[in-house]
Amino acid sequence: MIQLYEHQKRALEQTSDRNRCAYYLDMGLGKTFVGSEKMIRLGAKINLVVCQKSKVKDWVDHFDTYYEDYLNYDLTKSKHFQTFLEEINELEPLEKAVAVINYDLLWRRPELLKLKDFTLMLDESSLIQNYSAKRTKFVLKMQPANVILLSGTPTGGRYERLWTQMHLLGWPISRKLYEQTYVIWDYLDMPFSSYSIPVVRGYKNVARLKRKMREYGCVFMKTDECFDLPDQQDVMIRVDASSDYRKFMKNRYLQMSDGTELVGDTSLTARLYARQLCGQYSKSKLSAVQDLIESTDDRLIIFYNFTAEMEMLRKICGDRPVSVINGSTKDLTAYREHSDSITLIQYQAGAHGLNLQKCRRIIYYTLPESSELFEQSRKRIHRIGQEQKCFYYIPVCRGSVEEKILQALRMRRDYNDKLFEKDFGHGKG
């Protein structure tokens, strides 16, 4: 039997009469428990949970632990998927089933489009914000009787990304009308072309939008409304950008000492190589992070972007126990068992969902360009159960693209090609 916190009970009470709802609760407030309890109360015989690949096992274990009377299927396993399809039509009157699958596998299982009268729960529902993505199109074709959306950051502050979620909740507004009503658009002329592309300049009628969201079952809760969490402190560490970085930003071309050529012939490639020259190719950055590691025996979490960065970071961890979370590995053994462990986490694999409040120190070896990933990564340690002040160490190369990325992230904006060219038009770096 799950013992709910008072704020979780309030969230469920606010949606007691709804079969379609969204729990937009800050990370750490227990959306997993709220969502699963709502699912149970809806009482459907068939229930489907869609989540990130890294969270499938967590959800399967959750239902095994707290809802033993439910038949539990991991649909990422072919055998489980076939068994699920065979057994759901033969459930006994009192039997109920819950199945878990990840977003990128979901749309490759067309058999699931035949499901009816079931409860669909989307964990991290912001992952269907792109209405043209295959996963989103598939979800919108499904035929659930009940819908539960879970997210700490449903839009990352970008309201134009919200329509698909509201559509699932039953708001009968077309995407075109939604964007006309709530989004302020501008149009950017493309050079040497008659085409222009739409660009979001701002938002309007926001108070009205939030009222409509609540009307259609959205519940919002912030951590500080429910719990007194400890303070947070950013610690900036500025290191010198390398001469290689300056050469590349001036010419958008660099031949490395090992013969590797970096050619920034587009904004995308120039931005990528500029970031790498501040990360995996930066001796001063690596040295600064090594100094941080050697300065404390506390647990440390280090966030990184690229595989090459992870390999370099492992080398400077010395004899300290190391855990790794990335696209192919999820091993938290060292984190759990050793108070001096170092946990290396790739943003895409571990910025969401992990409970790491045994640690109070995060090092950002390199920054993400996504505001949502940055905000979510901070909440891995600043959550229920954390009793100590949290520190975030941010080493950045002076005068580099990293300073601009951090500026955008602090404004809760994604860093993109448009901002890069504004900050570093050809030859300005």
Side-chain angles (χ1 to χ4, degrees):
M1 179 71 179
I2 293 178
Q3 297 297 317
L4 297 176
Y5 288 101
E6 287 303 315
H7 72 274
Q8 295 169 334
K9 294 177 183 177
R10 291 200 307 273
L12 288 167
E13 288 168 3
Q14 290 180 50
T15 58
S16 60
D17 61 342
R18 304 197 64 87
N19 71 318
R20 294 183 177 239
C21 55
Y23 298 110
Y24 296 144
L25 278 59
D26 261 359
M27 282 294 179
L29 293 182
K31 294 186 296 296
T32 298
F33 294 100
V34 175
S36 58
E37 280 296 296
K38 179 63 177 180
M39 187 194 81
I40 299 307
R41 296 181 186 189
L42 288 169
K45 290 183 73 67
I46 301 171
N47 303 273
L48 181 66
V49 178
V50 186
C51 62
Q52 295 169 297
K53 184 178 180 180
S54 63
K55 296 292 292 179
V56 170
K57 187 176 186 303
D58 293 339
W59 274 106
V60 171
D61 291 346
H62 176 80
F63 289 111
D64 273 341
T65 302
Y66 296 103
Y67 305 101
E68 295 179 353
D69 53 335
Y70 272 66
L71 299 175
N72 194 352
Y73 301 88
D74 178 351
L75 300 191
T76 65
K77 300 177 179 178
S78 298
K79 184 179 256 186
H80 276 225
F81 182 69
Q82 292 303 320
T83 303
F84 172 75
L85 295 179
E86 293 167 4
E87 294 182 352
I88 54 174
N89 294 321
E90 301 175 2
L91 294 176
E92 296 294 332
L94 297 180
E95 282 187 325
K96 294 179 180 178
V98 59
V100 184
I101 193 169
N102 60 290
Y103 283 97
D104 290 327
L105 189 57
L106 175 70
W107 62 270
R108 295 180 171 91
R109 296 288 185 263
E111 297 91 337
L112 295 175
L113 291 175
K114 298 177 182 179
L115 290 181
K116 294 183 179 180
D117 300 324
F118 70 102
T119 293
L120 174 66
M121 182 153 63
L122 302 184
D123 187 19
E124 294 304 337
S125 57
S126 61
L127 293 174
I128 64 160
Q129 59 188 280
N130 181 357
Y131 55 83
S132 63
K134 290 179 179 179
R135 67 174 69 163
T136 305
K137 290 180 178 179
F138 189 93
V139 167
L140 296 181
K141 288 179 183 178
M142 299 183 79
Q143 306 175 67
N146 314 305
V147 172
I148 303 168
L149 307 182
L150 306 177
S151 182
T153 52
T155 66
R158 305 285 295 276
Y159 294 119
E160 72 275 13
R161 299 175 175 179
L162 193 60
W163 176 80
T164 49
Q165 294 178 70
M166 294 304 99
H167 183 74
L168 273 178
L169 294 180
W171 185 1
I173 184 172
S174 69
R175 181 172 61 85
K176 182 177 180 180
L177 180 57
Y178 173 88
E179 292 180 348
Q180 289 175 344
T181 305
Y182 300 107
V183 183
I184 302 172
W185 294 95
D186 201 353
Y187 291 87
L188 182 66
D189 292 331
M190 300 299 292
F192 313 110
S193 171
S194 60
Y195 295 102
S196 60
I197 59 173
V199 178
V200 175
R201 186 161 55 87
Y203 305 98
K204 56 187 177 180
N205 304 317
V206 173
R208 175 178 160 192
L209 172 59
K210 290 182 177 179
R211 285 197 301 272
K212 295 296 289 186
M213 292 174 70
R214 291 186 174 91
E215 179 183 334
Y216 282 91
C218 297
V219 177
F220 301 89
M221 281 188 181
K222 295 291 185 183
T223 303
D224 55 11
E225 298 171 359
C226 307
F227 294 93
D228 291 327
L229 289 178
D231 292 339
Q232 304 175 80
Q233 181 176 331
D234 287 357
V235 181
M236 294 297 302
I237 301 166
R238 287 186 165 81
V239 301
D240 290 332
S242 66
S243 59
D244 279 347
Y245 173 85
R246 293 192 294 273
K247 289 176 185 176
F248 175 78
M249 293 302 287
K250 181 178 180 180
N251 303 311
R252 298 286 174 98
Y253 171 83
L254 178 70
Q255 184 170 20
M256 307 286 288
S257 58
D258 63 359
T260 301
E261 290 187 319
L262 305 183
V263 182
D265 53 354
T266 67
S267 294
L268 180 63
T269 56
R271 198 168 89 239
L272 170 65
Y273 292 138
R275 293 170 66 206
Q276 291 180 344
L277 285 164
C278 292
Q280 68 196 61
Y281 295 124
S282 174
K283 293 180 180 179
S284 57
K285 170 77 73 68
L286 195 66
S287 177
V289 171
Q290 186 169 10
D291 288 345
L292 284 173
I293 290 172
E294 294 174 353
S295 69
T296 180
D297 289 330
D298 285 357
R299 278 185 178 87
L300 291 174
I301 291 168
I302 305 180
F303 276 99
Y304 69 92
N305 283 287
F306 307 110
T307 300
E309 297 173 0
M310 185 269 289
E311 294 170 351
M312 298 173 69
L313 289 167
R314 288 203 74 144
K315 292 178 182 178
I316 65 172
C317 289
D319 295 330
R320 300 266 291 264
V322 175
S323 280
V324 174
I325 303 291
N326 58 32
S328 60
T329 304
K330 184 178 180 181
D331 176 14
L332 286 172
T333 304
Y335 163 80
R336 296 190 185 101
E337 297 180 358
H338 299 280
S339 62
D340 64 340
S341 63
I342 299 173
T343 303
L344 308 178
I345 303 179
Q346 194 170 30
Y347 288 102
Q348 293 289 350
H352 293 84
L354 293 175
N355 299 313
L356 301 173
Q357 61 269 48
K358 284 185 177 183
C359 180
R360 67 187 185 110
R361 301 182 190 275
I362 288 177
I363 299 173
Y364 289 100
Y365 182 67
T366 48
L367 293 165
E369 294 181 310
S370 162
S371 169
E372 180 179 349
L373 287 179
F374 184 60
E375 293 301 320
Q376 293 291 353
S377 69
R378 295 174 67 89
K379 293 176 182 178
R380 295 314 95 225
I381 62 174
H382 195 248
R383 54 198 301 117
I384 300 170
Q386 181 59 266
E387 298 177 350
Q388 301 183 75
K389 184 174 181 177
C390 294
F391 292 89
Y392 304 90
Y393 302 89
I394 309 175
V396 298
C397 293
R398 291 186 183 91
S400 75
V401 66
E402 289 190 316
E403 291 187 339
K404 298 299 183 179
I405 292 173
L406 182 59
Q407 182 180 0
L409 295 177
R410 284 178 165 166
M411 296 172 64
R412 302 212 170 189
R413 296 180 65 187
D414 295 347
Y415 196 76
N416 54 29
D417 280 348
K418 183 180 178 183
L419 288 175
F420 180 77
E421 285 302 333
K422 178 182 176 183
D423 295 331
F424 301 99
H426 191 78
K428 285 173 62 177

